[in-house]
Amino acid sequence: MDFFQHQERARRKTGLLVLYFILAVAAVVLCVNLALLLAFVWMDVQLVPPSQWFSHPLTLWITLFTLLVMVCGCLFKTWQLRRGGKGLAAMLGARPIDPDTRHGDEKKLINVVEEMSIASGIPAPQLYVLDKEEAINAFVAGFRPSETVLVVTHGTLKKLDRDELQGVIAHEFSHIFNADMRLNLRLIAVLAGILAVGKIGEFMLRGSSRRSTSNRKGNSLILVALALVVVGYLGLFFGRLIKAAISRQRELLADASAVQFTRNPAGLAGALIKIRNGDGSHLDSVHAEDMSHMCFGETLGFRFRNLLATHPPLDDRLGALGSDWVARARSRARSATQAATPSTASVPEGVSAFQGDSGVSVEPTVAEPATSRRVGTVSDADLGYARTLLETLPADLHKKLHNPHQAELALYALILSSSDSDPQRLLQSAGLGEHLSDLLPLRQQLSELGSRLRLPIIDLALPTLKGQPSAQRKAILERLTSLTQADQRTTLFEWALVALARQQLDDHARRNRHTRFNRYRSVAGELQLAFSVMTWASGARDEQARALFRQASHGLLPEARTLLPLSQCSSQRLGQALDRLADLSPLLKGPVIDGLADLVLVDGKVQVSEAEMLRAIAALMECPLPPLFAGRQHD
């Protein structure tokens, strides 16, 4: 199953979640009516004969009130999470990690996340830490890959070595690839609605306990409140059933993907063993129940684990990594006095690849896959490329990219380094003349590094700027736009830089997206424009360009098979077109990516400018493409 199939499966599971919610609502409404009926019978209140209860108007009003409470609970939680992952992190009291931190464990996390981000093509998530949580756990949250947050506990930073941390981060990145994040946020809102009735009961119970309960009215209120609390626990049971039904297989899939990404099952196994043998993953937060389906490990313990757990048992997860990992875990538990642990740098004997629950080994693909098959994946070559890039990037530049002001200047310097115009005149025209003394040497440094590092530098700079206030981010986007327009022309690289910046920094671009188009016919004009731009970017001209356009767009554009002239391919129109193409049904995006890649690969090699354009288009369509997607890049 590839990235687009995972996306489509997650979209269909949203429909399954709606079905579960309807069934749970019906069960809770029935339970509320039964509980109140029993309470009235026990109190000898004859409002209506029990045989007529479910046909009496009072039952209708109780049902409507129950539904109103549940809908309000769901809407309130949805409002709390309107900012996506950032809203959830704020609700939990998580602390944002400063990109320029000097804390060793936090720097290690940033390095691992940057490495995984560059290797996968996904924008680096904003990082948060739960300082008061000593257990080992982590989760990702957000509506889209471009606005994800990654939250880890203090215990994760303190207790895991680099390989183990990389295994956990790879596991969380797979949840991004598999489109689990949006479903997780919706699940929190749905469960809040189911639990709202019990919350009302708890509120009534606390209120009644403060008043005199010696009279009949007071006793009645307490009894009704107790009945609602009981119904609330039933709602909790239904909620856990829903989470278990949706979450358990996703965790095994995420483990499998993590090992495929890192080719090092020992790192992930080491983290699971530490959780199993005493460090634990349970959270002290009052929101531990809400988060139980999102985290790397179980957030709380309870009875009926086999039925209600959101995660498979740890021994099952370890067993999927290889036959001897469970034995190693038990051996470590028995030898608690020994400080040494198995090396996480090598795979245990007899285990050559991840063994999923199907028992089939996953081996590296020998043949070069279609470009769309590389979307949402990470290979050894990708990780090696990312690691080498971070190691060879000048230390002073890397440090600057973690500082918001310097990261902002780096984006301006990238535009200057790609332009033939006089930099001083451009800066004056864009109102950036005051930064001339800082930007000229930075422009020179970036020019000497070559065009191959331009996209990775953008990938490192933009996450640093995400944490800036809204007004500052808006000002940065305005200055970037002014600088690209200062010489009266916009290059493809300049368009890509501004488009990626707008995707990650613009408040409007952070909205929750939905699938709006299920047929190519609905976006024929947008496809025509995207393929036309990529055709001209390939360097083809005249009849060769028209032939390439027809070949690459075959089957996608039944009504728009004409190559648009370059004069009609403005950057503004392209941005608007890609905004609509991002809302295509997931299964329709793969052929689009392949068609665009065919235009890049027509001559058997990938120019850096072409790779930048294709990866920018893929990113704006929410299809993360690794840097080494096919062929070989040339300056």
Side-chain angles (χ1 to χ4, degrees), residues 5-274:
Q5 290 170 323
H6 284 307
Q7 298 278 316
E8 181 64 23
R9 185 191 65 169
R11 189 166 73 96
R12 292 176 180 174
K13 276 199 171 184
T14 300
L16 183 63
L17 177 60
V18 172
L19 174 61
Y20 286 155
F21 178 64
I22 292 172
L23 294 175
V25 166
V28 170
V29 167
L30 178 62
C31 289
V32 168
N33 278 282
L34 286 174
L36 292 180
L37 171 61
L38 293 174
F40 290 147
V41 169
W42 187 85
M43 292 183 298
D44 198 25
V45 177
Q46 293 294 329
L47 294 176
V48 61
S51 60
Q52 301 177 19
W53 178 264
F54 290 102
S55 61
H56 194 274
L58 180 61
T59 303
L60 175 61
W61 285 108
I62 292 174
T63 298
L64 290 176
F65 177 76
T66 304
L67 290 174
L68 179 63
V69 168
M70 298 177 75
V71 169
C72 288
C74 184
L75 291 178
F76 176 72
K77 187 63 70 172
T78 300
W79 180 83
Q80 278 188 312
L81 300 176
R82 68 193 182 281
R83 293 192 297 151
K86 293 183 70 173
L88 181 57
M91 188 179 77
L92 294 173
R95 172 179 60 85
I97 294 178
D98 183 356
D100 200 22
T101 180
R102 296 183 179 182
H103 192 284
D105 290 333
E106 293 178 357
K107 290 175 68 174
K108 178 176 67 177
L109 174 65
I110 291 173
N111 183 262
V112 170
V113 169
E114 286 180 345
E115 186 178 292
M116 189 66 65
S117 173
I118 291 172
S120 65
I122 283 184
Q126 285 185 268
L127 303 180
Y128 291 79
V129 61
L130 295 169
D131 288 314
K132 297 181 181 180
E133 299 288 353
E134 296 300 325
I136 297 172
N137 227 321
F139 67 87
V140 289
F143 292 125
R144 297 183 291 146
S146 57
E147 57 95 34
T148 305
V149 304
L150 170 64
V151 181
V152 300
T153 62
H154 180 252
T156 300
L157 293 179
K158 185 174 67 175
K159 298 174 181 179
L160 299 185
D161 64 28
R162 193 186 191 282
D163 282 349
E164 293 163 349
L165 183 62
Q166 186 184 56
V168 172
I169 298 307
H171 174 103
E172 296 307 321
F173 263 70
S174 73
H175 283 309
I176 303 175
F177 294 141
N178 298 338
D180 295 334
M181 297 187 304
R182 184 185 303 176
L183 183 62
N184 284 340
L185 289 176
R186 287 174 174 167
L187 193 52
I188 290 178
V190 165
L191 296 177
I194 295 174
L195 299 176
V197 173
K199 298 293 184 182
I200 293 292
E202 292 176 0
F203 175 78
M204 291 175 61
L205 195 60
R206 287 195 298 269
S208 298
S209 66
R210 299 191 190 103
R211 302 185 182 94
S212 172
T213 58
S214 58
N215 57 56
R216 184 181 183 87
K217 181 180 179 181
N219 289 329
S220 301
L221 285 175
I222 290 178
L223 191 61
V224 171
L226 284 172
L228 293 179
V229 169
V230 170
V231 173
Y233 278 102
L234 289 174
L236 178 62
F237 175 80
F238 294 138
R240 285 179 172 171
L241 274 180
I242 292 173
K243 287 195 283 190
I246 290 179
S247 301
R248 294 185 70 163
Q249 288 304 311
R250 294 187 307 165
E251 294 304 320
L252 283 176
L253 176 62
D255 284 348
S257 299
V259 175
Q260 285 180 316
F261 296 163
T262 63
R263 289 293 163 185
N264 180 18
L268 181 63
L272 293 173
I273 289 174
K274 286 182 177 178

Side-chain angles (χ1 to χ4, degrees), residues 309-458:
T310 55
H311 293 65
L314 287 170
D315 282 357
D316 289 358
R317 294 175 70 179
L318 286 167
L321 299 179
S323 57
D324 67 339
W325 277 115
V326 177
R328 285 174 178 263
R330 291 172 179 167
S331 175
R332 289 197 214 180
R334 288 192 299 266
S335 306
T337 56
Q338 297 180 2
T341 58
S343 171
T344 57
S346 61
V347 179
E349 184 178 355
V351 181
S352 58
F354 178 86
Q355 295 272 334
D357 54 349
S358 63
V360 179
S361 297
V362 181
E363 299 292 349
T365 304
V366 176
E368 178 68 33
T371 300
S372 64
R373 300 287 292 181
R374 296 283 289 112
V375 171
T377 65
V378 179
S379 68
D380 288 339
D382 295 322
L383 275 175
Y385 168 82
R387 191 175 298 115
T388 301
L389 182 146
L390 291 174
E391 290 174 352
T392 57
L393 198 67
D396 65 319
L397 177 59
H398 197 180
K399 182 176 177 60
K400 287 178 181 178
L401 296 176
H402 288 156
N403 177 278
H405 177 65
Q406 295 295 330
E408 177 184 350
L409 293 182
L411 296 181
Y412 303 148
L414 280 173
I415 294 175
L416 296 177
S417 67
S418 64
S419 174
D420 296 330
S421 301
D422 176 47
Q424 184 171 354
R425 184 177 63 82
L426 291 179
L427 291 174
Q428 294 293 344
S429 300
L432 292 168
E434 61 185 283
H435 299 295
L436 181 63
S437 59
D438 294 321
L439 285 171
L440 288 182
L442 187 55
R443 168 185 177 270
Q444 181 64 29
Q445 182 182 26
L446 294 180
S447 298
E448 293 173 354
L449 289 176
S451 59
R452 187 183 300 275
L453 293 180
R454 293 191 304 197
L455 267 188
I457 289 172
I458 296 173

